[in-house]
Amino acid sequence: DGKIIAVGENLEADQVIDAKGKVVMPAFIDCHVHFRDPGFTAKEDLTSGSRSALKGGYSTVTLMANTHPTVDNNETYDYIMAKAEEIGLIHIIQNYAVTKNLEGQELVDLENLPESVKFISDDGHGLHKNKETYELFEKLKELDLSIMIHEEDKDLSEIDYRYAEDVHTMRDVYFSGKTGARVHFCHVSTIDSAKAVEYGKAQGYPVTMEVTPHHIYMTDNDFKVHPPIRAEEDRQYLIESIIKGNVDCIATDHAPHQPEDKAAGAPGMIGLETAFQIVYKVLVEEYKQDLQLVSQMMSEGPAKILGLKKGRLQVGYDADLVIVDLDRQETISEESIQSKSKNSPFIGERFTGVIEQTIVDGQVKYGGNA
């Protein structure tokens, strides 16, 4: 029934997969993904996004609400969840918007959300007004809801994007501590923002944070993402925070765009299919960490944030697995990418570690005989 019922040697099974010489890990989980469905399906849809996730070793992803129409109503939410179940490739968790049409003005009906909603988020937009943000956090605590926040003070973005991220991160760590609201900080990219969340953790505030593969791999690069690629000192600090256990998970912020959109300045990159290879290169090859840390950041950590019984090879946990060949290398090419979009700055780069099979609920969904 899609669960791990035994771990050990000389076990009987209906099907045997020979993974000799390979590594078997819990499948990856992403807290931050855009699949563009409904409304922007030329960039990505639930099927192509799911296939992209499987190729990258992911069994579960959390989708942001910036579709068209926005996921600020139960009809759109139900459409996505029903379609994902019909496709049946991976597990989809859909975030609900905080405000109508992500405009930061009128709150959605927080007291009548679908029962399966785990987080709300206006990703791509910061929460601009201090008083309203504080009152929202109080409401979240009252309703036992959690929020994922893209930290950006738009007024400060015009001056310095670093200030824009840091000021709002510091504010919302403080508000979390004062209200008890559970806050997850998306794509933390600077030293000071990471330190702010670490401060909150040290005080016992219910705060968690993610970093992206591109922010721990790239530095001083003008490929447009929000938040932007930072300086080398930021990159090194984020990696050290991961090693020290202060970062809760790695999330891709998979953001598909068509070439004309990127040419016009649309921020974002696809990331599901290259995430493991980048994280492996940075943490294991560059910083000489154990593969266990990669698994913790890409599987166990996000499972804990989302409240899922996934992310561990343990009896009773969901049988979501990935088989990786760490002796193989591959060069990223447009032809190999499963996503509809090809907006990756890593095309042409060569990485170690090839995802051979992805297993969801005990069924091979990618590779092998899938």
Side-chain angles (χ1 to χ4, degrees), residues 80-98:
I80 293 169
M81 297 306 291
K83 187 173 179 182
E85 187 171 353
E86 178 186 340
I87 293 166
L89 290 174
I90 63 173
H91 294 287
I92 297 289
I93 297 168
Q94 176 62 59
N95 275 0
Y96 212 93
V98 178

Side-chain angles (χ1 to χ4, degrees), residues 216-235:
I216 63 170
Y217 181 61
M218 303 168 75
T219 184
D220 296 317
N221 186 296
D222 60 3
F223 191 94
K224 189 169 184 180
V225 287
H226 278 173
I229 302 302
R230 301 296 190 181
E232 175 64 15
E233 61 181 356
D234 295 293
R235 184 185 86 92

Side-chain angles (χ1 to χ4, degrees), residues 25-26 28 242-250 290-304 311:
M25 305 172 67
F28 310 134
I242 290 172
I243 294 170
K244 291 175 182 176
N246 291 324
V247 173
D248 298 275
C249 72
I250 288 172
D290 192 86
L291 188 63
Q292 187 71 31
L293 181 59
V294 176
S295 185
Q296 185 179 337
M297 287 293 98
M298 297 184 68
S299 303
E300 184 178 19
K304 286 181 178 178

